[in-house]
Amino acid sequence: MSRTALRICPLCEATCGLTLTIGDRGEVTAARGDRDDVFSRGYICPKGVAFGEVDADPDRLSGPLLRRPGAAAAEPAGWDEAFAAVSAALRPLTERHGPDSVGVVLGNPNVHTVAGALYPPVLLRTLGTRNLFTASTVDQMPKHVSCGLLFGDPLAIPVPDLDRTAHLLLIGANPLASNGSLCTAPDFPGRLRALRRRGGQLTVVDPRRTRTARLADRHVAIRPGTDALLLAALARTLFAEDLVRPGPLADHLTGLDTLREALAGYTPESVAPACDVPPEEIRAMARELAAAPAAAVYARVGASTVEFGTLTNWLVDVVNVLTGNLDRPGGAMFPLSATGRAPRPAGPGRGFSLGRWHSRAGGHPEVKGEFPLAALAEEIDTPGEGRIRALIVIGANPVLSAPDGDRLDRALAGLDLMVSVDPYLNETSRHAHVVLPPPPPSRSPHFDFALNALAVRNQVRYTRPAVPLEDGRPSESEILARLVLSAGGFRDAGPEAVDATVTDDLLGRAAADPHSPVHGRDPAALAALLTGRDGAERRLDAMLRLGPYGDGFGARPDGLSLQRLLDHPHGIDLGPLTPRLPEVLRTRSGRIELCPEPVMRDLDRLGRSRERRPEGLVLVGRRHLRSNNSWLHNVPVLRGGTNRCTLQIHPRDAARLGLADGDTARVRADGGELRVPVEITESVRTGVVSLPHGWGHDRPGTRLTVAAKEPGANVNQLLDGTLLDPLAGTAVLNGFPVLVGPAGTEPSP
Ligand SMILES: Nc1nc2c(c(=O)[nH]1)N[C@H]1C(S)=C(S)[C@@H](COP(=O)(O)OP(=O)(O)OC[C@H]3O[C@@H](n4cnc5c(=O)[nH]c(N)nc54)[C@H](O)[C@@H]3O)O[C@H]1N2
Ligand SMILES: Nc1nc2c(c(=O)[nH]1)N[C@H]1C(S)=C(S)[C@@H](COP(=O)(O)OP(=O)(O)OC[C@H]3O[C@@H](n4cnc5c(=O)[nH]c(N)nc54)[C@H](O)[C@@H]3O)O[C@H]1N2
Ligand code: SF4
Ligand SMILES: [Mo]
């Protein structure tokens, strides 16, 4: 007899509620959209439909792998043996070489797991290392930096109020393939169509004519890497044409006059040649934004992993401010998540600083406590004291996702200890001495600690594991808690001690906080009130109850708690986004700081970039709806069709270079050379070629049976890791120069 179970989809940022059908043996036989889900209302995409296949991939590891001394490859081991091996290797290393000898790498799936939200902070505190690297520096770090500087909090990220806006200017994002990012919106495509239906306008800025661009009223096929110039000219036009209307925001701003002066030179004429966008079109875009009753500018990966990523993201919110659209319905608004910080009186905060310390080998400034992922290899392979000798990798595949995977691949092979928490033996985890595989998604709980803070509607949902764990198999939370123990934190204690310590700490701070609803209460008595089947659930309960909508442990009886969520399996709607200024601000001035000093310094570099006249080809990425970064190529139902690793090129460029459709092209850049099949298409503009990332599954020693059959090429091997946005340490993955030509000839620009 089959049954059904609810499960929030962990495969992208849209967080759709799914209804799974579970067979006798606990296998997922079908997945459909949960029509009663308060947020996703039944929406599902092909990846969600394939949940069962993703879940049951026979290449998923079912138990730990351990490389025993003298053995060439990792072999199956028991859980206790695997954790004992980690402790035995880790402690002598840190005692001898200090805490920074252990590096930590966190990848994208950590924003989609309960464990990834709850345990890495404790692990990092216990290790005491400054060598943290995450996928943020090949992704959204420029947004954290610009929001940190503007609003004083790198996590205060405004999202477009998609359902109420009248005008969306969407830059370097393709939600029809990605389903959205830093903007959690199940059925993003449907929400864009609804915008058009209610008479709103959609403008898309993208060098490719994507499916999203085809939906737009206006598609601007910009030259890659020049969006900051375009936005500077938009802002300048607003000033020049007296269209600046901050409205009520005016009370919460500093730097408006400085900004006007700083941008005065960015006339549409001065940026047009670099952007390849006519000055009149730039003026029209500015006027449309200013005229819309409510408008939002939103930019993502194609405007983040670029040379001026931080400036671009800063200008996005500058334009939102200048048009009065920040923090107003239909504009760009700050979500309020159920596990976020409860609102408190506004006032000056501690601000956000960059470069409080620097990396050992490359001297890179820390950003939000991290170093650039592009600099990981040099921290391992540059000899000397302080070098990374042990690495803990949680849900990351940097050999494919970061620049110069070949160098990182060699560096990983030289580590004294590498631990991977990963379901697959892939390009990165094949180097691990210990692989600790988390259970598949059907056996894991789901709560969106990170993504609810980026959602276009305030809502909260929790799903318990749809299928119980097999006996003896630890949850990912337990795996990470036991890693914390291996790092030496809690003498002889069990994994539950990790959660208890964090919870006691949280409740202790709340009880001491005069703004908290539990101020003055006994933390131990509060702890005794927590419910939940395990430490992770009790932590969730504590966060919900102390959060903005919480029951305050009885202070607000109808407020949220874990039990309330369990009583509402399809979720609880908390309403549309509401204005949060000035409470959300944490700058030292207590205002929006429009002209932060690091940004002002980088403006010169942007200004000078107008003088360059790029002639050769540049490369940009792309995503496919049935793919997800590097790790879904092993699922047969998600492969094939248009989901292929091809070099897209415009017919005119192809003819110029002597390339025919289906030919093998040679692509070369500073970091290396690749051979890939050519796909001639007018969907990329001239001067631009496009190659997706996450491919290159041809390294030996992996267990990716399906992916390895058609491995594709690793686009990031074209990069040598030196091209970074200096403010955010984020790798330039879009808009870098390449040489291209037919196989057997010298490639040319
Ligand atoms: N050229 C180019 N490069 C890019 C990008 C690009 O657009 N162009 N995009 C960048 C972006 S936006 C990102 S976010 C990064 C992503 O970079 P990564 O996070 O390094 O890459 P993923 O492919 O998401 O790899 C995630 C790893 O997690 C494992 N995994 C899957 N599910 C789970 C789970 O439940 N638990 C755990 N512990 N592990 C799991 C997978 O097997 C895989 O090894 O790539 C970046 N790289
Ligand atoms: N199906 C699927 N969904 C995913 C993922 C996936 O791999 N597959 N990955 C997930 C992750 S980790 C993330 S971060 C999100 C990313 O979500 P999105 O940001 O929507 O990602 P992309 O689809 O890569 O869209 C980036 C667009 O930027 C364009 N672009 C490139 N360079 C430039 C430029 O210089 N200027 C402008 N204006 N545009 C440029 C590209 O042509 C591309 O269309 O997607 C998430 N969802
Ligand atoms: S859109 Fe994203 S969250 Fe929704 S079903 Fe597809 S992969 Fe899952
Ligand atoms: Mo990402």
Side-chain angles (χ1 to χ4, degrees), residues 71-117:
E75 298 154 4
W79 287 98
D80 289 339
E81 187 189 9
F83 284 110
V86 177
S87 307
L90 204 53
R91 294 192 195 180
L93 266 179
T94 50
E95 275 160 26
R96 182 136 177 247
H97 300 286
D100 291 337
S101 61
V102 186
V104 174
V105 182
L106 304 174
N108 173 270
N110 289 291
V111 299
H112 302 284
T113 64
V114 166

Side-chain angles (χ1 to χ4, degrees), residues 19 24 29-30 50 140 268-269 389 404 429 445 449 470 500 594 630 646 670 679:
T19 305
D24 289 338
T29 55
Q140 84 288 0
E269 281 70 19
R389 293 160 194 271
D404 199 355
S429 60
F449 289 95
E470 307 141 45
L594 282 177
S630 75
T646 57
D670 292 347
E679 179 186 342

Side-chain angles (χ1 to χ4, degrees), residues 8 17 38 63 70 72 80 115 218 249 257 273 293 315 326 389 412 415 435 441 491 511 524 528 587 594 596 682:
I8 300 165
V38 296
D80 289 339
R218 183 194 284 284
L249 293 173
D257 293 332
L315 283 160
L326 186 79
R389 293 160 194 271
L412 296 181
L415 286 165
V435 185
R491 261 171 223 298
T587 49
L594 282 177
E682 290 189 350

Side-chain angles (χ1 to χ4, degrees), residues 92-102 129 131 358-363 371 378-390 416:
L93 266 179
T94 50
E95 275 160 26
R96 182 136 177 247
H97 300 286
D100 291 337
S101 61
V102 186
T129 179
N131 276 317
H358 291 78
S359 66
R360 174 194 66 106
F371 294 132
E378 71 188 19
E379 291 304 325
I380 302 172
D381 68 18
T382 310
E385 206 36 52
R387 159 179 108 71
I388 294 178
R389 293 160 194 271
D416 294 351

Side-chain angles (χ1 to χ4, degrees), residues 13 108 135 138-140 181 300-301 623 629:
E13 297 182 40
N108 173 270
V138 283
D139 185 354
Q140 84 288 0
S181 179
R300 268 311 273 130
V301 160
R623 282 175 160 76
N629 298 332

Side-chain angles (χ1 to χ4, degrees), residues 619-622 645-648 674 676 689-693 715 718:
L619 186 141
V620 301
R622 67 176 188 268
C645 183
T646 57
L647 184 79
Q648 293 184 339
L674 312 171
V676 276
V689 291
S690 169
L691 199 57
H693 71 284
V715 62
L718 294 170

